[in-house]
Amino acid sequence: MLCRAALIALVVCANVTCGWSEETRPMQHSWEVDPKLTEDDIWDNWERRFGGERVIDFDVADLKSASAEQRLHAARLICSEHDNRKFTQRDEAIAMLLEQLLTGKEKIQLHRAMISAAVLLCNASHAPKLWEASNEDSICRRQVERALIRWRSDVAVDVWRARCDEPSAPAGELALAIEGLAVVGGSEDRARLDRILRHSSTTLANRLLATKAMGDLISDGLNDLAQEVLDSNLEQRHLLAANLIAKHRGARTLPQCNAIMASDSSSAQRIAYRTIIDNFPSRAREIVASMSKHSDNLLRMMSLEVLRDVTDEPSLRIQGELMKDRNPEVCKLATQLVFEKSATQRSIVDDLITENLDCQVWQGVEQAILLATQLKDHSRLPKFLRLLDHPSPDVSIHAGWALMELANEPEILAGILAHAQVLTGVAEQTGLVVDYDEMRLSFLLESLGKNLYEPATSMLLKYVPKNFKFGIVSRASAVWSLGKLNKAKDNPKLRADLESRVAETSGLPPEHDLIRYTSMLAIGEMAHADCLDTAEKFNVDLPAPMGYACQWAIKQIKAASSRQAAIHANGKHGIQVGR
Amino acid sequence: MPTHGLARIALWTLSIAFICENRLLAQQPSNSAGTVANSLQIAGLSRAQHSRPQAGNMLALNVHVRNSGQQLATAELVGRIKGQPGEEDRRKIEVLPGKSDIYELDLRVLPSNRQKKIEAVVTLNAIENGREVLLTRGDAPVSQSVVMDLVSDSSRTAIALDADPPEQLFWRWPRTPTYASYELVLASRIDAGLSRVCVTLDGLPLPIHLSDWQGIDVIVIGNPEVLKDSSSIGALQQFMHHGGRIWVILDKVDTSLIEPLLERNQQCQTLDVVETNHFEITIPGSIDFSAEARTIDSDKPVKLKRVVQHGGRVTHAVDGWPAAIAWPVSQGELFVTALESHGWLTPRETLTSVDSDHSSKFSLPVWGNPLALKVHEPKHDTRLVDDELQYPLAHIGNPTVPRSLVSTILAAFCAVLVLIGVWRWLAGELRWMGILAPTLALIASVPLIMVAVVQRREMFDMVSMLQILTYSSQGCGVLNEKAAVYASSSRKMELHGNADGFALPSPTIESGIRSLTTADFEKWSLSNDAWPTGTWRYSTEMALDSGNFTARGVLSNQGLTVELPSHFKFPLEDAIIGYAPGTPSIGKAMQGNRSWQIDGSLPAGGDRWTGESFLSEEQLRRAAIYQDIFNVRNPRRPPTRSLFGWTDIQGQGATWDVDLVRRGSALVSLPIELVTPEVGTDVFIPYPLIRIEQSATSSNSMYNASRAKWIEESSLDTQAIVAFSLPPEVVPLAASKIDIEWDIKAPQRRAQLYWTKGGQRIDIVNLNEPSLPWRGTIENAEVLNDLSDGWLELHVDVTNHQAKDLQSQNRFVSWRLKHLKLSVAGRTLPRSNIATLPQLGRGD
């Protein structure tokens, strides 16, 4: 678990510090961020519009109702809603539950519901009372014991010790006792845990727990036992031994870890490699190449962790190789680590990008595109153009997105237009553009608008009328691009078309909200005073995206009108003001 | 007799007329009801989500009641099913002013109901001044009805899955994965030949009443929150005790949450999670699928929660780690899938049906189909006895004059008559016999007349019952009462229950109105103002939560000793141990009927179900019940790992509010947990502990493992491999001898029993035209060594060495195999070579 926690932290850290600017997130459409309408992400808010926590529709006072049915109902609802932020009567509920549990004599199912509710609400300070209330029922006792372990409470430590000394204790209850001792026990528990490990009738799960508990409690002196385990015929002996020496640093530990690494148990190897990374870093480096090729995803992640601060070429090549990894977490982390080294090892990084862009594994190509885009490497644009035809949708879409982010030269834009025209032609004829083609096309259309590429106008205009052969996303991108191409221009025909898109709320079907949204953005870009009524008429309350778009458009139109008025006024006074 | 019959009919008619009149009067809307009548209303009526309208089951309705008045309103909801006259279910409710609430009302759909649709009607009666008043709106009573189809689908699945992932904006890339757990459930149902219709319990607390689970065969749990409520755990334990099946999808559920669902000696523990894009599924014990079909390569990594388990059966594995596990728990099963849901799914290539209810986007790969079929099997019948049991009726009435008494008196009369005759003959005065003989006859008739007079007294009103208490090793249990009441006259009575459960009057009762009223949680009553005169039946079912009553089985060189748990206060009479299926054994009682020894010398069966030589009438009745329970022709599963015995009637059951004489007995069934013997213990494992299983490599046409039944008649040559499995607690074992008892009748045949492995064959016995049981002992070292892992396969060949072809075989008389039993003696071996330390006592 420790390995996992460390690596999760690493991945989270990588995701947070991955170098993407605030405005640029991979695979984000231009119309999501341009114009920036608010500090919040309106799309994330919109995505969650149907979510949210449930309304709390009960009163904790029902826990004291004369009706057992109502008491049960309230207790069970607390179990369901214990983590609901709208549930504010926590303290009252805890007080009532503890009072009922310690003074009342409820029927067993009601008692269980109350215990569960209390466990889910309480904390370690309530442990003694809960332990007292739960003792008569095995289901309740298990739940409370699990909570005691979580709270690291020693209320039940004597019971756990007694249970560990009882050879015929049921396997599940013994497991709880061992886990309990692992958090509140001490070195004095070593003998009883050792006995459990060796007892003939101990289950494999309990042997593993016992070794883990010993490994957690004792950080030195278990090498002899670990060796005895390694030499035995116990099932999962490598894993048992790895648990025992997980925190050991002594000289005998490394050979034992090496023996475990030579086994075929990847669970054991995970623990042993963590021990090696923490305590024997040079050995960790020695075997990093083999770990980077391991079939276990976590071991590959751990190899990246070892290489995090290493900048020599062989290490960098290992990381570059892991950019092709089929596991998304591994390849993302590898890409991030390579990016971090680009400042000092740019030529090697460029080599890695080239290699990966030409590789057969689509994950490698995708990561190379992301890395090149992150590095703003315009020299890759011709390659990206070719990758638009890559058989993997993930690659071709990423190439489209990268072109949208980086393309700024006429030759490239011409290539983009050509590709977009082919897709548009297919859509016009068959209407069968699949979703990944449409996704790629939408990024390409945005790149044309973003670069004010006039030759694209006639093609873009085809997307404005409601046409079911075109997808919604590509239409939205085309409309957004038209807005950019017609910024502050008077184009009555386009204006009228866009206004009709915004106004079509009762057709069969009505115009899609996303098209209405981008049409309003385009109207805002054009900023013609005649459109003010439309913008005001269709303004809606926030946080609806249409509300943001209308308010922004109104602001643009009013600003343009002010400028016009100023020009007009200045004109009267003989002053010429250029736009 | 005809006069009697007419009088009875007249009396019933009068009683019903009287009761109906009283009811109608009571339900007349009255002025005093005005305030409540104006405020209470039924705002909605629907079938409860978990409920299944099926003949013979309880149907749960959700009734939404609103109190728009200014004061607390007390009322009773009354539910009826149209076409079931005289049956109603009631529930007392209290609604706060200005509030509304939803109440569950359970209605019984009679087993005899053959309609396609049923209509449930709910009315509202106010209680005012202790008097029940039918609430009306205008002239019509406050009521609502709901019509629903009676279902007959073979298996019903409930789902309690995690919440849907947040809806992804449609322009986002990459797409978020499909809601795989839900798709997996649908795909598995379609692959099992069922519809995709499921009972959805997502986001709701699980139902916890016994009756709520009647219509559900399997529940799929993917939401960890469900298992954090201990009352749900209690309900799920009861569900499995009633034969239910639980499937936990471990994608989001931690294994620590499923531990309370397992039995005491079972375990499941998570080690870690691994993600893989390429893997091969193995199906232990199966060679049916090619490696290509079992190899998965997926662009999206599939997570496998690596778990270690104990006491379960791994049905699918990945790289040696369990991908799916099944544990037998109590009477049901617990399934767990540790391989992430989308790893089990492939896009469905062929449309299974044009009906959208019978199609799904995904299907399970061929190797996943056995899982779908197994999980969605209808739950099996866990009743030990049939509803129409004769036992309760046999206790009704007075005991007859014992035959022995009559025969003694008559024998004495004859003896004295002969003696007097001889005496008078010797005296030469036989003429006195004309006086003496009639006098003697008169004297002999006096005791007979007196006994007859005593026996002909009027019968008491009484209730006679068979209580069946079955406990699971998890600590839950259920009490079934099969009862008959004798009432000398039609009367008003109420049966009160104080635990989760219900009572069902016999559908043949037609007098009065039978009301099952729920007063509060686990507080109910069954009442009728006019229970019929004479004898009639009812049954109850109630949950028992009185602690863990697991019997302890200790093996020694004398066999198995089964001990009652110390906190079980009642000694058991006429105990029978059913450990391996189909081999019930009579326990040799020790320590005052608190422990029993099984050594294989007292098989139970036929008419023999007790160790005693002289049987009372009660013992004969009990034997008849045992016969029914262990009958291999019975469609129910044979009991296993259970101790059965009899006690007096116990106090946990429902009680009548009038003074009725109580008769009958309680049949108790306790689970047996075998204690693992210390290493080096000499043990004798009698045949009732040794299971006969299907060999992994060959089918066994001689033995039906699910019914524990040997082949009864065949005329064909047959070769079979019979696998014997020792209890896992004694494994590994150094066997010292194996005793065999083989009873086969095969006229004109040769029967061979032999062991073979690695090309070596050891003949155990060759019998020509066997007709008598054969007994023998195996002491061959190879065979004994083969048993060290607790598994031994023996070959049985029955051949007609004279017949040359199949047609000539068929002309011969048939053969049958009555039994093949193995008992094993040996010493337990250590399970590993690591040195053990002496065990410390408490406090060391």
Side-chain angles (χ1 to χ4, degrees):
Chain A
M1 291 308 281
L2 269 176
C3 313
R4 193 145 186 89
L7 282 163
I8 286 169
L10 188 67
V11 171
V12 169
C13 181
N15 284 335
V16 169
T17 61
C18 64
W20 298 109
S21 63
E22 277 285 310
E23 297 77 31
T24 316
R25 280 198 336 222
M27 309 306 288
Q28 204 166 27
H29 289 277
S30 299
W31 36 262
E32 290 185 78
V33 290
D34 182 10
K36 188 169 173 61
L37 300 175
T38 169
E39 289 305 312
D40 300 329
D41 187 334
I42 61 171
W43 301 108
D44 279 353
N45 290 339
W46 200 25
E47 201 162 19
R48 290 197 296 264
R49 65 199 183 280
F50 298 120
E53 278 147 340
R54 288 184 290 194
V55 175
I56 299 294
D57 190 24
F58 67 96
D59 187 352
V60 294
D62 285 348
L63 289 169
K64 286 191 165 180
S65 163
S67 158
E69 188 95 43
Q70 280 197 339
R71 296 200 296 278
L72 176 74
H73 187 62
R76 299 194 84 203
L77 281 178
I78 291 173
C79 293
S80 302
E81 305 293 342
H82 66 96
D83 53 356
N84 187 332
R85 277 172 298 176
K86 290 177 184 162
F87 178 44
T88 53
Q89 295 174 292
R90 283 164 197 278
D91 293 339
E92 298 94 312
I94 291 170
M96 280 186 208
L97 284 166
L98 291 177
E99 187 187 336
Q100 288 289 109
L101 286 169
L102 295 171
T103 58
K105 182 71 186 166
E106 299 286 14
K107 294 197 169 182
I108 189 72
Q109 281 290 66
L110 178 49
H111 183 77
R112 286 172 182 164
M114 287 188 164
I115 285 279
S116 299
V119 164
L120 292 168
L121 294 179
C122 289
N123 54 39
S125 65
H126 304 104
K129 286 181 179 172
L130 278 174
W131 178 240
E132 185 188 339
S134 67
N135 248 327
E136 286 180 11
D137 178 60
S138 64
I139 296 180
C140 293
R141 199 174 55 236
R142 271 171 181 263
Q143 193 179 16
V144 171
E145 280 186 51
R146 189 61 66 192
L148 297 180
I149 294 166
R150 200 168 60 243
W151 297 331
R152 307 184 81 85
S153 165
D154 63 357
V155 171
V157 69
D158 292 336
V159 173
W160 288 335
R161 284 185 172 136
R163 205 182 291 161
C164 286
D165 294 337
E166 179 60 57
S168 61
E173 293 185 19
L174 182 59
L176 275 172
I178 299 169
E179 286 183 74
L181 288 187
V183 292
V184 296
S187 54
E188 68 271 27
D189 294 311
R190 175 185 165 162
R192 54 172 55 88
L193 293 169
D194 192 356
R195 203 165 289 113
I196 290 169
L197 168 67
R198 294 164 183 274
H199 198 274
S200 177
S201 62
T202 303
T203 61
L204 172 60
N206 284 343
R207 281 207 174 102
L208 288 165
L209 287 173
T211 51
K212 188 168 182 313
M214 277 195 269
D216 285 351
L217 294 171
I218 302 154
S219 57
D220 193 25
L222 290 175
N223 293 101
D224 286 341
L225 180 58
Q227 196 56 50
E228 200 182 345
V229 168
L230 282 172
D231 295 340
S232 74
N233 62 352
L234 282 169
E235 195 180 351
Q236 294 287 353
R237 61 183 194 278
H238 294 102
L239 183 54
L240 295 167
N243 278 337
L244 287 169
I245 55 170
K247 290 185 179 173
H248 281 42
R249 291 163 176 268
R252 290 183 62 198
T253 306
L254 184 57
Q256 288 178 336
C257 283
N258 287 337
I260 294 165
M261 294 305 293
S263 74
D264 58 359
S265 164
S266 75
S267 291
Q269 288 169 334
R270 284 179 173 196
I271 298 167
Y273 196 36
R274 169 55 51 195
T275 307
I276 292 172
I277 291 171
D278 291 347
N279 302 321
F280 309 99
S282 58
R283 175 62 185 160
R285 287 275 305 282
E286 283 169 30
I287 57 175
V288 74
S290 61
M291 287 301 106
S292 71
K293 291 175 188 147
H294 203 285
S295 62
D296 187 301
N297 64 303
L298 198 72
L299 285 165
R300 298 199 300 276
M301 290 283 277
M302 288 162 89
S303 70
L304 284 172
E305 185 193 345
V306 171
L307 297 175
R308 181 169 194 114
D309 300 319
V310 185
T311 54
D312 61 77
E313 184 175 346
S315 305
L316 206 49
R317 295 221 170 261
I318 290 173
Q319 294 164 61
E321 201 58 33
L322 284 172
M323 283 169 64
K324 300 186 186 84
D325 202 285
R326 295 181 75 188
N327 187 291
E329 285 185 9
V330 175
C331 67
K332 271 184 205 166
L333 183 60
T335 306
Q336 175 53 29
L337 296 187
V338 172
F339 173 74
E340 283 172 8
K341 279 138 199 164
S342 60
T344 54
Q345 301 277 16
R346 181 62 190 250
S347 62
I348 302 173
V349 171
D350 284 342
D351 281 355
L352 292 175
I353 292 174
T354 307
E355 275 172 26
N356 279 302
L357 281 175
D358 289 328
C359 78
Q360 298 297 312
V361 185
W362 68 260
Q363 286 91 343
V365 186
E366 181 199 89
Q367 292 304 312
I369 295 170
L370 285 167
L371 184 55
T373 313
Q374 213 170 350
L375 293 169
K376 307 221 181 295
D377 186 351
H378 290 260
S379 67
R380 308 286 177 178
L381 288 172
K383 177 71 178 173
F384 291 168
L385 258 184
R386 290 195 294 278
L387 287 175
L388 289 175
D389 294 318
H390 196 279
S392 164
D394 288 278
V395 170
S396 62
I397 293 173
H398 275 82
W401 170 79
L403 286 166
M404 187 270 284
E405 285 290 324
L406 300 181
N408 56 3
E409 290 168 16
E411 305 84 58
I412 299 297
L413 291 169
I416 290 172
L417 178 61
H419 193 92
Q421 277 170 331
V422 170
L423 286 176
T424 304
V426 172
E428 277 179 316
Q429 283 174 13
T430 63
L432 290 176
V433 175
V434 288
D435 63 347
Y436 47 82
D437 278 342
E438 195 204 350
M439 209 58 65
R440 182 170 79 248
L441 174 61
S442 66
F443 286 124
L444 298 181
L445 298 181
E446 287 163 36
S447 72
L448 298 171
K450 195 174 171 186
N451 290 287
L452 306 179
Y453 192 64
E454 291 288 350
T457 304
S458 58
M459 182 192 68
L460 293 173
L461 283 170
K462 293 178 183 175
Y463 286 84
V464 179
K466 190 156 68 183
N467 183 346
F468 297 115
K469 288 182 175 176
F470 297 126
I472 299 297
V473 187
S474 50
R475 283 184 66 209
S477 297
V479 169
W480 177 86
S481 292
L482 283 169
K484 289 289 175 195
L485 283 162
N486 290 277
K487 188 174 175 73
K489 289 183 187 167
D490 185 15
N491 185 339
K493 167 78 172 61
L494 178 62
R495 227 169 49 220
D497 286 347
L498 293 174
E499 281 184 302
S500 71
R501 294 304 87 218
V502 171
E504 195 188 316
T505 55
S506 56
L508 281 175
E511 186 55 274
H512 196 278
D513 280 347
L514 188 61
I515 306 298
R516 295 179 63 235
Y517 171 82
T518 47
S519 298
M520 186 51 72
L521 292 185
I523 288 170
E525 294 284 7
M526 294 164 81
H528 197 278
D530 289 356
C531 295
L532 186 60
D533 288 347
T534 305
E536 283 177 343
K537 183 179 173 186
F538 292 98
N539 191 7
V540 291
D541 290 339
L542 301 179
M546 190 63 186
Y548 284 110
C550 288
Q551 288 181 13
W552 179 79
I554 292 166
K555 201 170 155 189
Q556 299 304 308
I557 293 167
K558 285 183 175 171
S561 299
S562 304
R563 279 198 302 272
Q564 287 294 327
I567 292 166
H568 191 66
N570 290 335
K572 275 184 182 175
H573 292 94
I575 301 170
Q576 293 292 318
V577 179
R579 186 168 69 88
Chain B
M1 194 62 184
T3 329
H4 244 119
L6 280 175
R8 267 188 158 178
I9 292 164
L11 189 64
W12 279 0
T13 315
L14 278 173
S15 314
I16 292 166
F18 177 74
I19 291 154
C20 291
E21 189 187 14
N22 273 351
R23 288 251 166 197
L24 286 171
L25 282 175
Q27 294 188 351
Q28 290 299 317
S30 77
N31 291 337
S32 64
T35 51
V36 178
N38 289 335
S39 60
L40 269 188
Q41 58 172 302
I42 300 176
L45 175 67
S46 61
R47 177 169 62 82
Q49 188 69 270
H50 58 263
S51 192
R52 182 189 199 188
Q54 192 175 35
N57 277 0
M58 301 295 278
L59 168 69
L61 297 175
N62 281 336
V63 192
H64 185 190
V65 182
R66 183 179 299 140
N67 178 8
S68 51
Q70 302 297 315
Q71 53 183 294
L72 178 79
T74 309
E76 263 195 3
L77 287 168
V78 184
R80 296 182 190 84
I81 289 177
K82 278 197 175 172
Q84 292 184 186
E87 294 244 344
E88 65 178 28
D89 294 78
R90 291 169 166 255
R91 185 186 171 115
K92 292 181 176 153
I93 60 168
E94 276 189 352
V95 192
L96 293 169
K99 294 273 182 188
S100 64
D101 221 333
I102 293 172
Y103 298 92
E104 195 175 291
L105 192 64
D106 293 318
L107 307 181
R108 175 166 71 141
V109 185
L110 288 178
S112 56
N113 200 324
R114 293 282 174 267
Q115 298 169 37
K116 284 189 174 172
K117 286 180 185 292
I118 52 167
E119 182 176 1
V121 183
V122 176
T123 55
L124 199 52
N125 292 0
I127 311 288
E128 294 206 334
N129 304 321
R131 190 175 152 80
E132 193 179 316
V133 182
L134 179 67
L135 293 184
T136 57
R137 242 237 199 256
D139 290 334
V142 176
S143 78
Q144 279 207 13
S145 64
V146 59
V147 179
M148 59 202 97
D149 293 328
L150 272 186
V151 296
S152 56
D153 50 337
S154 53
S155 175
R156 184 86 155 191
T157 305
I159 49 175
L161 301 176
D162 46 318
D164 288 4
E167 193 184 349
Q168 187 190 24
L169 291 168
F170 62 91
W171 60 80
R172 294 275 193 235
W173 192 273
R175 302 269 186 245
T176 50
T178 319
Y179 188 28
S181 303
Y182 180 65
E183 294 294 347
L184 177 57
V185 179
L186 294 189
S188 64
R189 272 190 67 86
I190 300 296
D191 286 352
L194 304 166
S195 76
R196 55 188 282 150
V197 179
C198 295
V199 175
T200 306
L201 301 172
D202 298 347
L204 300 170
L206 293 188
I208 57 168
H209 297 296
L210 276 184
S211 59
D212 293 337
W213 292 90
Q214 282 181 333
I216 294 172
D217 297 279
V218 55
I219 178 166
V220 188
I221 298 174
N223 181 0
E225 294 302 315
V226 167
L227 299 172
K228 290 179 183 170
D229 177 355
S230 292
S231 60
S232 297
I233 296 286
L236 290 170
Q237 286 185 352
Q238 276 287 1
F239 175 57
M240 288 193 284
H241 192 48
H242 282 75
R245 207 169 286 115
I246 299 175
W247 175 10
V248 181
I249 296 174
L250 286 185
D251 292 9
K252 292 188 180 164
V253 179
D254 190 78
T255 47
S256 64
L257 291 170
I258 65 163
E259 276 174 14
L261 297 174
L262 294 168
E263 290 191 352
R264 284 157 51 92
N265 56 353
Q266 297 171 338
Q267 221 175 350
C268 185
Q269 188 84 37
T270 304
L271 287 182
D272 55 19
V273 180
V274 68
E275 293 178 11
T276 176
N277 297 77
H278 185 90
F279 59 95
E280 186 180 316
I281 288 274
T282 50
I283 302 164
S286 170
I287 48 170
D288 293 345
F289 310 107
S290 67
E292 190 186 354
R294 289 183 285 109
T295 303
I296 285 89
D297 191 88
S298 160
D299 260 348
K300 182 177 182 248
V302 180
K303 285 182 186 166
L304 174 73
K305 208 168 252 186
R306 291 197 280 207
V307 299
V308 286
Q309 64 91 22
H310 186 74
R313 186 170 55 86
V314 176
T315 64
H316 295 74
V318 174
D319 290 339
W321 294 98
I325 313 165
W327 286 273
V329 178
S330 190
Q331 305 286 319
E333 268 174 308
L334 176 68
F335 283 89
V336 154
T337 43
L339 182 70
E340 201 179 7
S341 296
H342 81 85
W344 295 89
L345 293 173
T346 54
R348 189 175 289 282
E349 286 170 1
T350 51
L351 194 66
T352 47
S353 167
V354 289
D355 177 4
S356 61
D357 274 355
H358 287 85
S359 57
S360 63
K361 278 195 290 183
F362 296 92
S363 69
L364 270 69
V366 283
W367 47 263
N369 271 327
L371 180 84
L373 293 172
K374 186 69 189 157
V375 164
H376 293 294
E377 261 181 20
K379 67 181 171 190
H380 70 96
D381 185 358
T382 56
R383 292 173 305 169
L384 285 175
V385 295
D386 293 327
D387 287 338
E388 296 304 311
L389 186 76
Q390 284 304 305
Y391 182 93
L393 296 180
H395 277 284
I396 296 288
N398 292 321
T400 54
V401 177
R403 282 182 198 163
S404 55
L405 179 66
V406 175
S407 55
T408 307
I409 292 169
L410 289 177
F413 164 72
C414 294
V416 173
L417 189 66
V418 168
L419 284 174
I420 290 173
V422 171
W423 170 47
R424 292 323 304 164
W425 177 66
L426 289 175
E429 290 191 20
L430 278 171
R431 62 184 175 175
W432 280 95
M433 286 305 290
I435 299 166
L436 288 174
T439 311
L440 194 60
L442 281 173
I443 293 168
S445 64
V446 168
L448 292 173
I449 291 165
M450 284 177 65
V451 170
V453 166
V454 170
Q455 294 297 318
R456 283 192 60 191
R457 274 184 325 196
E458 281 302 308
M459 281 203 295
F460 299 111
D461 285 3
M462 64 178 74
V463 57
S464 154
M465 68 177 72
L466 171 67
Q467 286 185 331
I468 302 169
L469 297 94
T470 55
Y471 292 94
S472 81
S473 68
Q474 296 168 306
C476 69
V478 65
L479 164 61
N480 284 99
E481 290 177 333
K482 307 287 177 196
V485 171
Y486 169 77
S488 54
S489 60
S490 176
R491 62 192 298 189
K492 176 182 178 180
M493 296 194 294
E494 268 190 24
L495 179 71
H496 291 278
N498 208 18
D500 180 25
F502 50 88
L504 301 173
S506 165
T508 58
I509 299 174
E510 291 180 347
S511 69
I513 295 175
R514 285 82 64 201
S515 299
L516 184 61
T517 306
T518 307
D520 200 352
F521 176 62
E522 298 188 351
K523 205 170 171 188
W524 52 265
S525 63
L526 174 68
S527 63
N528 188 347
D529 286 351
W531 289 107
T533 308
T535 305
W536 40 270
R537 291 169 181 262
Y538 72 92
S539 61
T540 67
E541 183 169 332
M542 296 165 75
L544 295 171
D545 289 298
S546 40
N548 195 323
F549 293 123
T550 300
R552 198 163 165 267
V554 181
L555 275 165
S556 67
N557 58 3
Q558 300 297 309
L560 173 72
T561 304
V562 177
E563 299 161 1
L564 275 183
S566 57
H567 51 288
F568 189 81
K569 300 297 175 200
F570 311 95
L572 295 182
E573 297 166 5
D574 300 334
I576 294 288
I577 286 93
Y579 198 87
T583 54
S585 296
I586 299 167
K588 289 180 190 166
M590 302 185 296
Q591 299 174 9
N593 281 338
R594 292 200 65 84
S595 72
W596 298 267
Q597 196 178 59
I598 312 295
D599 57 11
S601 62
L602 284 177
D607 296 329
R608 192 179 182 203
W609 295 93
T610 175
E612 294 177 24
S613 306
F614 297 100
L615 304 186
S616 67
E617 287 189 25
E618 177 63 12
Q619 282 176 309
L620 289 172
R621 285 193 283 267
R622 292 174 178 180
I625 289 171
Y626 273 145
Q627 260 178 340
D628 186 33
I629 292 172
F630 288 97
N631 188 350
V632 289
R633 289 183 184 82
N634 203 322
R636 296 185 291 264
R637 280 191 194 174
T640 55
R641 295 189 298 164
S642 300
L643 164 68
F644 292 88
W646 295 85
T647 70
D648 293 335
I649 292 178
Q650 303 208 358
Q652 296 108 307
T655 51
W656 289 97
D657 64 341
V658 294
D659 194 19
L660 296 177
V661 173
R662 278 161 69 93
R663 288 181 180 165
S665 300
L667 172 63
V668 180
S669 161
L670 305 178
I672 299 174
E673 187 179 291
L674 216 55
V675 176
T676 303
E678 288 295 323
V679 173
T681 308
D682 288 326
V683 292
F684 174 65
I685 306 146
Y687 73 86
L689 272 68
I690 299 178
R691 294 178 74 100
I692 300 172
E693 310 251 14
Q694 193 79 33
S695 161
T697 52
S698 158
S699 63
N700 177 0
S701 57
M702 286 191 187
Y703 185 76
N704 179 341
S706 63
R707 299 288 259 281
K709 197 173 141 187
W710 289 98
I711 191 165
E712 288 191 333
E713 191 171 9
S714 176
S715 57
L716 294 174
D717 285 4
T718 305
Q719 297 179 327
I721 301 175
V722 184
F724 295 88
S725 164
L726 300 185
E729 289 82 356
V730 297
V731 176
L733 183 85
S736 54
K737 66 166 187 165
I738 301 171
D739 294 329
I740 299 184
E741 191 183 320
W742 194 18
D743 191 350
I744 181 167
K745 288 182 177 50
Q748 300 173 22
R749 310 265 164 171
R750 176 184 291 159
Q752 293 173 289
L753 181 65
Y754 61 95
W755 172 89
T756 179
K757 200 165 201 177
Q760 187 187 7
R761 172 172 165 154
I762 293 169
D763 286 324
I764 296 163
V765 65
N766 289 329
L767 301 171
N768 273 323
E769 302 192 13
S771 59
L772 294 173
W774 175 85
R775 286 189 178 82
T777 301
I778 303 175
E779 288 175 334
N780 180 287
E782 274 93 5
V783 182
L784 296 178
N785 275 342
D786 191 28
L787 186 59
S788 63
D789 61 353
W791 186 267
L792 181 70
E793 294 187 351
L794 296 181
H795 293 247
V796 182
D797 289 1
V798 180
T799 52
N800 176 3
H801 49 284
Q802 292 163 359
K804 298 282 182 281
D805 53 44
L806 196 68
Q807 276 189 337
S808 52
Q809 283 175 26
N810 289 338
R811 285 202 299 274
F812 288 96
V813 289
S814 62
W815 60 273
R816 65 170 297 201
L817 201 166
K818 200 174 171 194
H819 63 243
L820 173 57
K821 298 171 176 172
L822 259 62
S823 297
V824 177
R827 178 173 289 179
T828 54
L829 296 171
R831 289 172 180 172
S832 70
N833 60 359
I834 194 164
T836 53
L837 300 177
Q839 194 65 33
L840 294 182
R842 286 187 179 198
D844 285 334

